[in-house]
Amino acid sequence: MKVYPRARLYEEMAFIAFYFHWGRDELMHLEHSERRRWCKELSEINRRMDTAPEITLDALN
């Protein structure tokens, strides 16, 4: 059986906690696959927001 790296686990938990404001207990009860899925979804939202065209006042006129 392979052990998931502790540093990676904390990185994923911090990432999810930052966006959802979930506590340690909530995060520790997530299955590995569910935690990874939330990280993937949040990352995709961030990517889309980073590439979205900037809306300016000039663009609205």
Side-chain angles (χ1 to χ4, degrees), residues 2-56:
K2 200 172 182 181
V3 177
Y4 200 67
R6 179 175 281 192
R8 182 68 179 169
L9 173 63
Y10 279 99
E11 184 179 64
E12 292 172 2
M13 290 173 57
F15 187 67
I16 296 168
F18 177 80
Y19 287 98
F20 290 152
H21 307 284
W22 291 352
R24 182 186 182 281
D25 290 340
E26 292 166 300
L27 294 166
M28 290 300 288
H29 283 95
L30 292 175
E31 295 287 330
H32 173 75
S33 59
E34 186 177 6
R35 189 182 63 251
R36 294 290 301 143
R37 177 65 190 260
W38 281 120
C39 288
K40 181 180 177 226
E41 294 296 329
L42 290 166
S43 294
E44 184 57 35
I45 290 168
N46 282 330
R47 270 194 279 297
R48 283 195 312 261
M49 290 178 69
D50 284 345
T51 60
E54 185 177 328
I55 298 175
T56 65

